[in-house]
Amino acid sequence: MFPFKNNIVLVRNSNRNLYLQLCDQIIGFIKSGKLPPSTKLPGSRKLAESLSVHRKTVISAYEELISQGWIETIPTKGTFVTSSLPIVNPKNFVQPVLQNNIKEKSGFSFLTRSHLIRKPKHKIDQKMLVVDDGCPDHRLAPIEEIAKVYRNITKKSHYENLLTYNSTYGNLELRKSLVTYLNQTRGLHITVDNILITRGSQMGIYLNSQLLLSAKNKVIVVGNTNYMTADNTFKEAGARIEQVPVDDQGLDTNAIEKLCKIKQINAVYTTSHHHHPTTVTLSAERRMHLLQLAQYYNFAIIEDDYDYDFHYNNAPILPLASNDDHGNVIYIGGFTKIIAPAIRIGYLIAPKDFVGEAARLRRIIDRQGDTLLEQTLAQMISTGDVQRHCNKVLKIYKTRRDLFCSLLKEKLGDYFDFEIPKGGMAIWVKLNKAYNWDVICNEAEKLDIELNPDWRRYDNDNSRHNGIRMGFASLNEEEIREVIERLVKVFELVKQKHNKLIT
Amino acid sequence: MFPFKNNIVLVRNSNRNLYLQLCDQIIGFIKSGKLPPSTKLPGSRKLAESLSVHRKTVISAYEELISQGWIETIPTKGTFVTSSLPIVNPKNFVQPVLQNNIKEKSGFSFLTRSHLIRKPKHKIDQKMLVVDDGCPDHRLAPIEEIAKVYRNITKKSHYENLLTYNSTYGNLELRKSLVTYLNQTRGLHITVDNILITRGSQMGIYLNSQLLLSAKNKVIVVGNTNYMTADNTFKEAGARIEQVPVDDQGLDTNAIEKLCKIKQINAVYTTSHHHHPTTVTLSAERRMHLLQLAQYYNFAIIEDDYDYDFHYNNAPILPLASNDDHGNVIYIGGFTKIIAPAIRIGYLIAPKDFVGEAARLRRIIDRQGDTLLEQTLAQMISTGDVQRHCNKVLKIYKTRRDLFCSLLKEKLGDYFDFEIPKGGMAIWVKLNKAYNWDVICNEAEKLDIELNPDWRRYDNDNSRHNGIRMGFASLNEEEIREVIERLVKVFELVKQKHNKLIT
């Protein structure tokens, strides 16, 4: 007879009921082969006595085990481990399961994505002063207003339906306010049928790449160099990437025309307003050329207008989408840069047929967006709060850009080459080729300053531009001064070491 | 000389500045070929006079056009349309752009997904009484509590960092509370490294299918019949789907074993707790068998435990994941069923190596989750609010199940065949084969009652089970009575018509 008493441990003030603890342990014995199929179990009274529990606990446990199929009652004979359970090879199950068994390795194979970046970091080191590659300052986000509107919405019963399944295209009120907002600020000519609400603009890039490029022999044209995450997303779809040069007018459209003449291209990806990473604005001439090419060769232009709202020297330049008379442009954007990275609401604007197909795909990736937050944003766009916030931070970021650029020029002009960007949140800084970013970043880390890691240097193709993006928008004046000061020290240290090596 | 005066319309109380309106229109003339390259523009004073605007407005407009590259100043000569703009064929651009030009058709080609459902609906008809296929009642969601916690979080400065880019794995506090919650309620043995926070469980299915199945000759085993959206997601990845029978014990694991002997299978998809759509619970014997097969043949088990918390007759049965000693189970679940469909927080639990790869892929689909909402949920799990809510609705849903089933049996027992489900939110109702769901649904619609559309009848393979799922959880007692009453009328009408046809 199996020694239940010695093997069963019941914890009285646990979150799990006594009878369920008993079940768990009996199942464990069955699984481990200690209680083989057809073993007779003790009567409920007897087991209750030996475990010092109420008989009802054992009865409940047995009922539970019967309903789960682990044990069975044979009339007039008693209760037994189910006879039809497969006979278990004890070797497979005999190891005790550790309470905190960290499962490290899968018992199956899966596909790995070597084209994607290394595994995302789990934690960010708080004491580091981070120079990002162009993020907004989340400390300026109007988050209390957002939370207030959000809460007010939850109090109104006519918004109750927002909590259930809703349109995959996104909240209708948000799409309506976007129609007005985008037509006014970007010169678009769209209706609600041209909008799919996405999770940030990244989901827009993903959906586009899957719909345009995920079949054999699909070709996308990008600049050399280009926004790395977009490249990775196109690779994920299996596309062939063709690169064309980027100069001070943006993407070289003549190079695109040459490509079109020799092969079918399916899409061109452009960050027309401020090219990522170099911050160059696509010139008027090339805009027209690109639209003409798209129309003639029937390809899609993915216009990623991630920082349309941040242009400091003059009014923003209307996007290609505002001149798209033939349905060639898919326009993507979002509010992560305007409000905060965590407010992941973006949009994809395209002809209706394409939007419908994108919604179909989005449905199996992520059934729908965050309807309450979408409704919140809709209200804040309609009241003008979003535009007001945008104007406010635009002024702040312009001041930060000017300070960062002037200090960079003044204190570090010998090492860095850069143009003052007309807009956006970052400067494209080229390091004097006598130096190496790896060395600089290493040294910087010792002074608690984090610059862009190697996978964010947009040099996948060894073009050796020796550039990185330095984000100025997320740093306040004090932090900017601190960054520059520490960078000056970094170069002093590097030069000392260098001299030592020489002498 | 181009008649600017007759062609330019400036609206004074518009949202767009006068000088920008002027720019837009001049760009329009350039694009349409009305102002060809090298055309001389009038001086600013002259144009200002003819348009009755301040000269500064024209100067600003010209400066803007210069900075955008549309026009250029030639010293001592004047201002001209940029000479290097490509000569535009007027035919291409001459049509006026309509202010509300609904773009219906794309000027490029893209891939369509015929395996996915029709385009999602834009709007739900409010007056219809909807019998869904197993949704929670969003009216019971603790949304005011959620909004309150959410707002409190935004007020605390130590949560400020939640607004910026955060871990793609999901909010760390949420992962920590899930470790405790899932280990206690599901008998898992996981750590934070085994969790990826997803958008609902649907994103979990999508990530799994892309990582396990998106290469040549990958095979997934599902039940016949099966949750349709899962099937579609596997097809999207390009997988071959093998079906095995489902009986009153769930998936037929002997059939799976036979398959394993003749081909490499990569994964098995199971809704083990309550099979979707039939609501059957996978028996203990088959659970053990399936785990043994997975270990022996090295395949993954995707255990979609979408309604673990809703089991009415006895305690929920621990998931396969709780017995997974060899890293074969990927466990997915979420809070959309417990709280509300719009609270799209789910989780994917797997060995650490797989979780890392899933995070890598998720990063390019949707950079990160909604960190504020994740933090909110973390707190509500830790305080026990989520569990309390769960217990509350469990009782309500049990009452609704009992009422729905007893009325269905009493009033419609001649037409419907069903078992009372042990759990979940829906009943698997088989229609007497003398009738046809299309006819019934049509007739029902006339009485403002919406039953499952044809694509939700889980009969992709013409198995002719003639079943649909009827969700009882989202209807209150009054609505349940109303549904039954109207269905009785539907059958009366159908029978009348039928008799008419016969006589």
Side-chain angles (χ1 to χ4, degrees):
Chain A
M1 165 88 201
F2 182 73
F4 285 94
K5 194 180 168 180
N6 301 335
N7 282 281
I8 285 178
V9 183
L10 301 177
V11 182
R12 273 175 204 274
N13 43 8
S14 150
N15 273 324
R16 198 151 169 87
N17 276 332
L18 277 184
Y19 85 94
L20 289 175
Q21 293 183 40
L22 184 52
C23 281
D24 295 346
Q25 294 181 46
I26 293 176
I27 291 171
F29 301 142
I30 295 174
K31 276 185 49 203
S32 68
K34 287 179 191 158
L35 287 176
S38 304
T39 308
K40 190 175 185 186
L41 296 175
S44 58
R45 190 183 313 264
K46 199 171 152 197
L47 186 54
E49 269 169 23
S50 77
L51 298 175
S52 311
V53 294
H54 197 282
R55 194 181 156 203
K56 265 180 76 177
T57 304
V58 178
I59 291 176
S60 300
Y62 278 11
E63 278 172 4
E64 183 65 36
L65 291 167
I66 289 168
S67 84
Q68 293 190 20
W70 292 104
I71 65 174
E72 57 193 353
T73 303
I74 301 176
T76 76
K77 291 198 170 167
T79 306
F80 299 82
V81 176
T82 303
S83 57
S84 58
L85 290 177
I87 293 167
V88 180
N89 176 355
K91 264 187 285 179
N92 290 342
F93 286 86
V94 89
Q95 321 95 304
V97 174
L98 299 171
Q99 197 55 31
N100 260 324
N101 169 24
I102 308 179
K103 285 179 195 146
E104 295 278 344
K105 254 194 75 55
S106 300
F108 51 85
S109 64
F110 52 88
L111 306 157
T112 52
R113 260 67 177 169
S114 56
H115 56 277
L116 300 183
I117 61 153
R118 266 135 262 198
K119 272 195 257 174
K121 261 202 233 180
H122 273 274
K123 253 189 106 174
I124 288 148
D125 190 346
Q126 299 291 349
K127 76 169 193 250
M128 294 290 271
L129 195 52
V130 178
V131 182
D132 56 46
D133 72 340
C135 298
D137 187 345
H138 63 275
R139 296 167 297 190
L140 302 174
I143 190 62
E144 287 203 34
E145 290 89 318
I146 290 174
K148 201 173 149 193
V149 177
Y150 186 97
R151 195 173 171 197
N152 283 339
I153 286 169
T154 62
K155 282 182 180 162
K156 289 187 184 142
S157 64
H158 62 275
Y159 287 127
E160 210 173 47
N161 281 330
L162 290 177
L163 282 172
T164 186
Y165 290 109
N166 277 273
S167 171
T168 300
Y169 294 94
N171 179 284
L172 186 60
E173 288 199 39
L174 177 58
R175 285 183 289 141
K176 280 183 187 162
S177 21
L178 275 176
V179 166
T180 313
Y181 178 77
L182 295 175
N183 286 350
Q184 272 177 10
T185 61
R186 271 107 164 134
L188 304 191
H189 314 285
I190 54 167
T191 73
V192 286
D193 292 335
N194 299 117
I195 306 185
L196 174 74
I197 305 297
T198 57
R199 301 262 313 153
S201 34
Q202 184 55 39
M203 184 181 268
I205 302 180
Y206 185 80
L207 292 172
N208 281 327
S209 67
Q210 293 293 319
L211 290 174
L212 296 169
L213 306 170
S214 71
K216 278 218 161 163
N217 301 321
K218 299 290 178 185
V219 177
I220 179 137
V221 177
V222 304
N224 182 0
T225 175
N226 187 39
Y227 178 45
M228 190 204 55
T229 307
D231 276 0
N232 288 343
T233 313
F234 303 140
K235 283 180 198 156
E236 171 66 25
R240 217 169 62 233
I241 297 183
E242 292 283 353
Q243 297 185 317
V244 294
V246 176
D247 59 24
D248 60 352
Q249 312 227 10
L251 283 184
D252 180 345
T253 49
N254 287 327
I256 296 176
E257 187 165 10
K258 269 186 205 152
L259 272 176
C260 288
K261 283 179 180 161
I262 55 169
K263 65 176 76 175
Q264 172 67 46
I265 71 164
N266 302 93
V268 170
Y269 172 80
T270 175
T271 42
S272 48
H273 204 214
H274 305 119
H275 174 257
H276 195 116
T278 67
T279 80
V280 176
T281 302
L282 190 64
S283 69
E285 185 187 346
R286 296 213 181 150
R287 281 164 190 253
M288 286 176 63
H289 192 198
L290 186 55
L291 282 168
Q292 286 176 325
L293 289 175
Q295 186 197 342
Y296 191 81
Y297 291 104
N298 301 309
F299 61 77
I301 298 171
I302 305 173
E303 184 174 30
D304 181 354
D305 211 5
Y306 65 106
D307 62 1
Y308 174 83
D309 299 280
F310 303 103
H311 207 74
Y312 308 116
N313 294 10
N314 38 268
I317 293 166
L318 290 181
L320 290 162
S322 71
N323 290 326
D324 174 33
D325 297 333
H326 302 276
N328 292 102
V329 180
I330 304 164
Y331 181 76
I332 56 183
F335 293 90
T336 53
K337 297 275 189 258
I338 299 180
I339 300 178
I343 304 298
R344 302 206 58 67
I345 295 182
Y347 43 80
L348 179 157
I349 310 289
K352 193 180 167 185
D353 56 353
F354 187 81
V355 168
E357 204 58 32
R360 244 170 141 173
L361 179 56
R362 191 235 161 105
R363 200 183 183 285
I364 61 161
I365 294 174
D366 168 24
R367 173 68 181 68
Q368 66 183 53
D370 189 333
T371 41
L372 290 171
L373 198 61
E374 287 178 9
Q375 178 73 34
T376 303
L377 195 64
Q379 292 193 10
M380 292 179 72
I381 292 171
S382 300
T383 54
D385 282 341
V386 168
Q387 196 61 53
R388 245 192 313 281
H389 174 72
C390 199
N391 294 339
K392 178 185 132 189
V393 292
L394 185 71
K395 281 194 199 109
I396 297 172
Y397 293 163
K398 182 178 190 305
T399 314
R400 291 180 182 180
R401 177 198 66 168
D402 293 343
L403 178 67
F404 201 110
C405 287
S406 73
L407 287 174
L408 207 60
K409 186 91 204 153
E410 180 193 330
K411 311 269 191 188
L412 293 155
D414 291 347
Y415 314 113
F416 292 141
D417 183 25
F418 66 94
E419 302 279 325
I420 297 173
K422 287 182 193 148
M425 300 180 171
I427 310 162
W428 178 240
V429 180
K430 286 182 175 174
L431 178 63
N432 181 324
K433 295 209 173 170
Y435 297 88
N436 178 307
W437 274 118
D438 285 332
V439 177
I440 304 297
C441 290
N442 250 335
E443 218 52 53
E445 214 176 309
K446 292 181 199 154
L447 296 177
D448 289 338
I449 181 163
E450 188 184 307
L451 298 167
N452 287 196
D454 55 357
W455 53 264
R456 246 205 222 140
R457 292 192 206 144
Y458 310 100
D459 196 21
N460 293 339
D461 315 282
N462 286 317
S463 54
R464 300 196 179 284
H465 48 64
N466 218 24
I468 65 168
R469 278 165 71 90
M470 285 191 180
F472 54 80
S474 60
L475 302 165
N476 62 30
E477 192 174 318
E478 193 188 334
E479 288 159 346
I480 288 172
R481 291 185 190 282
E482 184 64 34
V483 163
I484 300 290
E485 212 167 280
R486 290 197 207 171
L487 280 178
V488 169
K489 276 187 203 146
V490 165
F491 277 94
E492 278 165 12
L493 285 168
V494 169
K495 284 210 294 193
Q496 271 172 26
K497 281 196 186 167
H498 190 65
N499 284 339
K500 255 190 221 160
L501 285 175
I502 291 171
T503 53
Chain B
M1 165 86 199
F2 183 73
F4 284 94
K5 193 179 170 181
N6 301 333
N7 282 279
I8 285 179
V9 183
L10 301 177
V11 182
R12 270 172 207 278
N13 44 7
S14 151
N15 273 323
R16 198 150 168 87
N17 277 331
L18 278 184
Y19 86 94
L20 289 175
Q21 292 181 42
L22 184 53
C23 282
D24 295 346
Q25 294 180 47
I26 292 176
I27 292 172
F29 301 142
I30 296 174
K31 276 185 49 202
S32 69
K34 287 179 192 158
L35 288 177
S38 303
T39 308
K40 190 175 186 188
L41 296 175
S44 58
R45 190 183 313 265
K46 197 170 152 198
L47 185 57
E49 268 168 25
S50 76
L51 297 174
S52 311
V53 295
H54 197 284
R55 194 180 156 204
K56 265 179 73 179
T57 305
V58 178
I59 292 176
S60 300
Y62 279 10
E63 278 173 3
E64 182 65 36
L65 290 168
I66 290 167
S67 85
Q68 294 190 21
W70 292 102
I71 65 175
E72 56 193 355
T73 303
I74 302 178
T76 77
K77 290 198 173 166
T79 307
F80 298 82
V81 175
T82 303
S83 57
S84 58
L85 289 177
I87 293 168
V88 180
N89 176 355
K91 265 186 286 180
N92 289 342
F93 285 85
V94 89
Q95 320 97 303
V97 173
L98 299 171
Q99 198 54 33
N100 259 325
N101 171 24
I102 306 179
K103 285 179 197 147
E104 296 279 344
K105 255 195 75 56
S106 300
F108 51 85
S109 64
F110 52 89
L111 306 157
T112 54
R113 260 67 178 169
S114 57
H115 57 275
L116 300 183
I117 61 152
R118 267 135 261 197
K119 273 194 252 172
K121 262 202 235 180
H122 272 275
K123 253 189 104 175
I124 288 149
D125 190 346
Q126 298 291 349
K127 76 170 192 246
M128 294 290 273
L129 195 52
V130 178
V131 182
D132 57 45
D133 73 339
C135 299
D137 188 345
H138 63 274
R139 296 166 297 191
L140 302 173
I143 191 61
E144 288 203 34
E145 290 88 317
I146 290 173
K148 201 173 149 192
V149 177
Y150 187 96
R151 195 173 171 196
N152 283 340
I153 286 169
T154 63
K155 283 183 180 160
K156 289 187 183 141
S157 64
H158 62 275
Y159 287 128
E160 210 173 47
N161 280 331
L162 290 177
L163 282 173
T164 188
Y165 290 109
N166 276 273
S167 171
T168 300
Y169 294 95
N171 178 284
L172 186 60
E173 288 199 39
L174 177 58
R175 285 184 289 142
K176 280 183 187 163
S177 21
L178 275 177
V179 166
T180 313
Y181 178 77
L182 295 175
N183 286 349
Q184 272 177 10
T185 60
R186 271 104 165 136
L188 304 190
H189 314 284
I190 55 166
T191 73
V192 286
D193 293 334
N194 299 116
I195 305 186
L196 174 73
I197 305 296
T198 56
R199 301 262 313 154
S201 32
Q202 183 55 41
M203 184 180 268
I205 302 179
Y206 185 80
L207 292 172
N208 281 327
S209 66
Q210 292 293 319
L211 290 174
L212 296 169
L213 307 170
S214 72
K216 278 219 161 162
N217 301 321
K218 299 291 178 183
V219 177
I220 178 134
V221 177
V222 303
N224 181 359
T225 178
N226 186 40
Y227 178 45
M228 191 203 54
T229 308
D231 276 0
N232 288 342
T233 313
F234 303 140
K235 282 180 199 156
E236 171 67 24
R240 216 167 65 233
I241 296 183
E242 292 282 352
Q243 297 186 315
V244 295
V246 176
D247 59 24
D248 60 352
Q249 310 227 12
L251 283 183
D252 180 345
T253 50
N254 287 329
I256 297 176
E257 187 165 12
K258 270 186 206 151
L259 271 176
C260 289
K261 284 179 179 161
I262 54 170
K263 64 176 74 176
Q264 172 68 45
I265 70 165
N266 303 92
V268 170
Y269 172 79
T270 175
T271 42
S272 49
H273 203 215
H274 305 120
H275 174 256
H276 195 116
T278 67
T279 79
V280 176
T281 303
L282 190 65
S283 70
E285 185 187 344
R286 296 214 180 146
R287 280 164 189 255
M288 286 176 62
H289 191 197
L290 186 56
L291 282 168
Q292 287 176 325
L293 289 175
Q295 185 197 343
Y296 190 81
Y297 291 103
N298 301 309
F299 61 78
I301 299 170
I302 305 174
E303 184 174 31
D304 181 354
D305 211 6
Y306 65 106
D307 61 1
Y308 174 83
D309 298 279
F310 302 102
H311 207 73
Y312 308 116
N313 294 9
N314 38 266
I317 292 165
L318 291 180
L320 289 162
S322 72
N323 289 326
D324 174 34
D325 298 333
H326 302 276
N328 292 102
V329 180
I330 304 165
Y331 181 75
I332 56 182
F335 292 91
T336 54
K337 296 276 189 256
I338 299 180
I339 300 178
I343 305 297
R344 303 206 58 67
I345 295 182
Y347 43 79
L348 179 158
I349 311 289
K352 192 179 168 186
D353 55 354
F354 187 81
V355 168
E357 203 58 32
R360 244 170 142 175
L361 179 56
R362 190 235 162 103
R363 199 182 183 286
I364 61 161
I365 294 174
D366 169 25
R367 173 69 180 70
Q368 66 183 53
D370 187 336
T371 42
L372 289 171
L373 198 60
E374 286 178 10
Q375 178 73 34
T376 302
L377 195 63
Q379 292 194 9
M380 292 180 72
I381 292 171
S382 299
T383 54
D385 282 340
V386 167
Q387 196 60 54
R388 244 191 314 281
H389 175 72
C390 199
N391 294 338
K392 178 185 131 189
V393 292
L394 185 71
K395 279 192 200 113
I396 297 173
Y397 292 162
K398 182 176 191 304
T399 314
R400 291 179 181 181
R401 177 198 66 167
D402 293 342
L403 177 67
F404 201 109
C405 288
S406 72
L407 287 174
L408 207 60
K409 186 92 204 152
E410 183 192 328
K411 310 269 189 188
L412 294 155
D414 291 347
Y415 314 113
F416 293 141
D417 182 26
F418 66 94
E419 302 279 325
I420 297 173
K422 287 182 193 149
M425 300 181 172
I427 309 162
W428 177 240
V429 179
K430 286 182 176 173
L431 178 63
N432 180 325
K433 295 210 171 168
Y435 298 88
N436 177 307
W437 274 119
D438 285 332
V439 176
I440 304 298
C441 289
N442 250 334
E443 218 53 51
E445 215 175 310
K446 293 180 197 155
L447 296 176
D448 290 337
I449 182 163
E450 187 184 307
L451 298 168
N452 287 196
D454 56 356
W455 52 264
R456 246 205 224 140
R457 291 193 205 141
Y458 310 101
D459 196 19
N460 292 339
D461 316 282
N462 286 316
S463 54
R464 300 195 178 285
H465 48 63
N466 218 26
I468 65 170
R469 279 166 72 90
M470 286 192 179
F472 54 80
S474 60
L475 303 165
N476 63 30
E477 191 172 322
E478 194 188 334
E479 288 159 345
I480 288 173
R481 291 186 190 281
E482 185 64 34
V483 162
I484 299 290
E485 213 167 279
R486 290 196 207 172
L487 279 178
V488 169
K489 275 187 204 148
V490 165
F491 277 95
E492 278 165 11
L493 285 169
V494 169
K495 283 210 295 195
Q496 271 171 25
K497 281 195 187 168
H498 190 66
N499 284 338
K500 257 191 222 159
L501 286 176
I502 291 171
T503 54

